[in-house]
Amino acid sequence: MGTVTIGVSIAVPEPHGSELQQLRAGFGDAAAHGIPTHVTLLPPTEIDEASLPAVEAHLAEVAAAGRAFPMRLSGTGTFRPLSPVVFVQVVAGAEACTLLQQQVRDPAGPVNRELQFPYHPHVTVAHGIDDAAMDRAFEALAGYEAEWPCTGFALYEQGADGVWRKLREFPFGGSVVPPQAGRVERGSVPIR
């Protein structure tokens, strides 16, 4: 067994997820169709493939203790000049996301890691594209609004092709999605 790159995130549900993904692609972000629209809880992290069951067990414990909370997106923000990112802001649910990401990265857990930047929940809509396109994304989505009840999160794996695929969902409150029902086998069609 080798290593795999995983991430943990809250999916932005339909129709908002596809809408933001299409807009991201329209701004010229080549990675748009390989990354489901999401709020990150654990950024891309390389782990030994053999530790995936321990990661899944840890995430199931985190989810079991969690409760649904309202998520609301509103307007845009940017990490420029520090990082070439334009995002839609999380204006409700940010505190819950912050707590969740701390629990996911618990120092006693299997995915303890330091972050490159302080945690700031957001939905990326442009990353690493030219400044004019970044400005267009910032302006075009300044009035964007979406809300939904967040009822869980998911574990993703990045394939050799750079596409992120959902491995398993983790609903809040103790109900567990069996791996065979929530797992997408490697090499399957990417989530769009």
Side-chain angles (χ1 to χ4, degrees):
M1 290 193 154
T3 61
V4 293
T5 300
I6 62 166
V8 178
S9 64
I10 295 169
V12 175
E14 296 306 328
H16 316 297
S18 292
E19 179 183 33
L20 289 172
Q21 191 174 45
Q22 292 303 320
L23 287 165
R24 183 173 178 173
F27 298 132
D29 190 330
H33 289 296
I35 305 171
T37 309
H38 67 282
V39 176
T40 299
L41 298 176
L42 177 72
T45 302
E46 191 173 295
I47 63 166
D48 288 328
E49 189 172 5
S51 64
L52 266 175
V55 170
E56 290 186 11
H58 172 67
L59 295 176
E61 287 179 19
V62 171
R67 298 292 175 258
F69 59 90
M71 288 281 287
R72 187 163 69 87
L73 307 179
S74 181
T76 50
T78 184
F79 294 131
R80 295 185 293 174
L82 189 59
S83 181
V85 173
V86 170
F87 56 86
V88 174
Q89 298 184 72
V90 174
V91 297
E95 191 174 306
C97 290
T98 299
L99 178 61
L100 274 174
Q101 66 86 28
Q102 289 170 342
Q103 293 169 336
V104 166
R105 296 184 308 104
D106 186 315
V111 284
N112 174 28
R113 68 161 286 188
E114 293 296 317
L115 298 178
Q116 183 178 0
F117 300 106
Y119 182 74
H120 181 84
H122 65 280
V123 176
T124 299
V125 292
H127 181 226
I129 57 178
D130 68 68
D131 283 337
M134 298 281 269
D135 291 342
R136 276 196 321 277
F138 188 86
E139 292 164 15
L141 292 169
Y144 188 82
E145 298 279 338
E147 59 185 310
W148 70 93
C150 177
T151 58
F153 55 84
L155 172 65
Y156 292 82
E157 179 182 342
Q158 186 178 38
D161 57 1
V163 174
W164 287 90
R165 295 173 178 86
K166 188 186 309 178
L167 294 179
R168 183 171 167 191
E169 293 181 8
F170 296 90
F172 293 137
S175 49
V176 176
V177 176
Q180 62 273 20
R183 181 181 287 278
V184 174
E185 295 301 319
R186 288 181 181 80
S188 63
V189 178
I191 298 164
R192 299 225 190 242

